[in-house]
Amino acid sequence: MHPFICKKTSLAAYLTVWILLAMALAALLRMPDTLDWREALLLDAPMGLFYGFVCLTPWYVCRSMPLRSTNPLKLILNHLGAAVVASAIWVEMARLLAQFLDLRAGKPTETTYLVALGLLLYLLSVAVHYMMLAVEDSREAQVQARDAELRALKAQINPHFLFNSLNSITALTTIDPARARDMCIHLSDFLRSTLGLGERESISWREELQLARTYLDVEQIRFGSRLRV
């Protein structure tokens, strides 16, 4: 579903923008002095509401034709063709509405204004939707990067080892504070080395042995004489 429709605040902001555009269009229709303000607003209100929802449709086309993977010529022809069709429907709607309301609109001057404005608004909507998709892709990339980082951290550190070590430290603080302090130091060294080495694709045999020794230092304090290496 379109993001502007999903959220009430976004829909309210979008409608507010179109209210301002409707007022500008009413002023544009008055320029040839063929309509007064009441007639211009009477004609423009349904037109603005209709075209506001028409300009939401590029969202789905933009999603199906990403900028990076779509042929530029195909991109231009599709969006330009859609803009021409949307503008033509909008102009025809204005003509029928003016005829229904018995207004004096529909002359060549007003038609030219509507065609130009319709094309401009539709293409501007296409640009805005591509910007929204770019922001959405950027947020998804950030979330994926965070998830990948968390998975990497979980792969580097065995949760059971960490929890057991912390529990052992808690128990030692009351019966043997010196050993608890030594275990904290060894555990800190092990975590620092693990996180630092995890960013590299390969490490030396010396570093691997040192990491194993630091790990065993922590376990030695946990198990005491029961662990012999």
Side-chain angles (χ1 to χ4, degrees):
M1 186 177 292
H2 198 289
F4 283 165
I5 300 178
C6 295
K7 299 180 181 179
K8 294 182 179 179
T9 53
S10 299
L11 182 60
Y14 183 74
L15 292 177
T16 301
V17 171
W18 272 97
I19 289 174
L20 298 175
L21 290 174
M23 295 177 63
L25 180 58
L28 188 64
L29 291 176
R30 283 197 72 252
M31 285 179 61
D33 293 330
T34 57
L35 297 176
D36 57 26
W37 273 108
R38 184 189 67 82
E39 292 174 333
L41 290 174
L42 190 62
L43 178 63
D44 180 59
M47 287 176 55
L49 182 62
F50 169 76
Y51 211 62
F53 283 97
V54 168
C55 287
L56 293 176
T57 58
W59 167 260
Y60 306 99
V61 182
C62 293
R63 286 182 67 91
S64 63
M65 293 193 304
L67 282 175
R68 294 182 179 179
S69 58
T70 306
N71 183 279
L73 181 60
K74 179 182 177 182
L75 204 67
I76 294 172
L77 290 177
N78 275 273
H79 287 305
L80 189 58
V84 170
V85 172
S87 182
I89 294 174
W90 196 37
V91 171
E92 182 62 18
M93 177 187 174
R95 188 187 67 80
L96 294 175
L97 189 60
Q99 185 178 356
F100 176 76
L101 296 174
D102 195 22
L103 300 178
R104 293 164 290 175
K107 292 185 178 181
T109 305
E110 288 89 339
T111 302
T112 303
Y113 288 153
L114 289 177
V115 170
L117 187 61
L119 289 172
L120 178 63
L121 290 175
Y122 190 90
L123 294 177
L124 181 61
S125 174
V126 170
V128 170
H129 282 104
Y130 273 123
M131 290 176 58
M132 292 171 58
L133 288 172
V135 172
E136 183 180 286
D137 291 342
S138 176
R139 289 176 179 173
E140 290 181 359
Q142 291 177 358
V143 171
Q144 292 175 0
R146 284 199 299 268
D147 291 343
E149 185 177 356
L150 288 175
R151 287 194 296 268
L153 289 175
K154 289 179 180 179
Q156 294 169 24
I157 303 174
N158 188 327
H160 297 291
F161 162 73
L162 182 59
F163 296 151
N164 291 336
S165 298
L166 293 176
N167 289 332
S168 298
I169 292 172
T170 302
L172 287 172
T173 52
T174 56
I175 60 176
D176 196 341
R179 289 177 63 200
R181 178 178 178 276
D182 291 340
M183 192 170 182
C184 284
I185 294 174
H186 291 311
L187 181 60
S188 175
D189 292 340
F190 176 76
L191 294 178
R192 186 184 301 109
S193 300
T194 302
L195 296 178
L197 297 176
E199 299 174 354
R200 293 156 54 182
E201 293 184 358
S202 63
I203 62 174
S204 66
W205 181 237
R206 181 189 299 274
E207 290 172 316
E208 179 68 29
L209 288 176
Q210 181 59 43
L211 188 64
R213 171 52 60 188
T214 308
Y215 171 82
L216 290 173
D217 288 341
V218 176
E219 296 291 63
Q220 188 71 63
I221 297 176
R222 283 186 59 208
F223 294 107
S225 60
R226 290 178 295 166
L227 177 62
R228 293 191 299 272
V229 180

